[in-house]
Amino acid sequence: PTGAFLRSTNTGTKIINTRRVEIVGTTEWPGSGSPQLEANAVIDIQTGGVWDFQGDADFAQNAPGTATVINDGTILKSAGTGVTQITVPLIHNAGGTLTIQTGQVELRSTQTLNGPVTIANGATLDVATGTTTLPAGFTLAGTPSGHFLFSGGTLNIGTAVNDAISIGLLDHVNGTLQGPGTLTVPDSLVWDGGSWRGTGTTRLPTGAFLRSTNTGTKIINTRRVEIVGTTEWPGSGSPQLEANAV
């Protein structure tokens, strides 16, 4: 309940099988032994609740099932310079916050980021695999904030034509960016792999930079790309336009 503390400090794995864990107080997790969810286990971080990764432990799915992490409170990575993986489906509701103060958080399942996300300078949020949906109004600040890394899986930009999403610093390494919404990158977009697909728009406004440095092919299928800023393309990997891409 409110005011209570849950703390784990060692390397041993903690298994939650089927059971539901409701967090209204504060969880501090400096240990590297990750909570592993099995079957239909649920970690429910409720309004006012905090789960603070003070190291590089994960939310891990240990076996097939329908395990879930629900966030209406705060998921925080306050320490640890390595990677914290979330390999179970994450329901990040509008009332919840995800704050990355250091290191990297990897999303490796299915999630819609309905709540605010904050990435500190030098930290990273990585969409590594699975399917992540960014809803209308999703916004991440640019410099001096941290990076949004898209290294694999599928990134859905909105669910409707008029959905507007803004990511200040985006590194696209692999995976498929798609969806009907408009993605605006007002600061820096590095595109070194993967594809842009769907009926939506990717837009670089005045002052923004798009840069591609490597040999990998970049596919634009159907999607519209609007350049008002500057594109620098020292790499030999050409943009390849398919269908009615613009």
Side-chain angles (χ1 to χ4, degrees), residues 202-225:
T202 300
R203 189 171 192 274
L204 275 82
T206 302
F209 283 86
L210 166 62
R211 185 173 175 83
S212 182
T213 62
N214 66 3
T215 60
T217 298
K218 289 81 184 174
I219 295 173
I220 306 172
N221 183 300
T222 309
R223 197 165 186 85
R224 181 181 183 88
V225 181

Side-chain angles (χ1 to χ4, degrees), residues 165-179:
I165 287 89
S166 177
I167 301 176
L169 298 168
L170 173 61
D171 295 342
H172 186 183
V173 177
N174 200 359
T176 299
L177 185 151
Q178 63 181 25

Side-chain angles (χ1 to χ4, degrees), residues 112-114 133-139 157-160 162-166 181:
T112 299
L113 301 181
N114 288 308
T133 299
L134 305 182
F138 181 88
T139 301
I157 304 300
T159 58
N162 293 325
D163 288 353
I165 287 89
S166 177

Side-chain angles (χ1 to χ4, degrees), residues 1-6 22-28 44-52 73-74:
T2 302
F5 283 87
L6 166 62
E22 297 180 347
I23 306 292
V24 188
T26 298
T27 298
E28 297 177 343
D44 183 5
I45 305 165
Q46 299 182 2
T47 301
V50 177
W51 189 291
D52 183 3
T74 298

Side-chain angles (χ1 to χ4, degrees), residues 119 138-148 165-171 183-190 203-205 207-209:
I119 310 170
F138 181 88
T139 301
L140 278 177
T143 304
S145 297
H147 281 253
F148 187 107
I165 287 89
S166 177
I167 301 176
L169 298 168
L170 173 61
D171 295 342
L183 170 64
T184 299
V185 183
D187 198 330
S188 172
L189 169 55
V190 177
R203 189 171 192 274
L204 275 82
F209 283 86

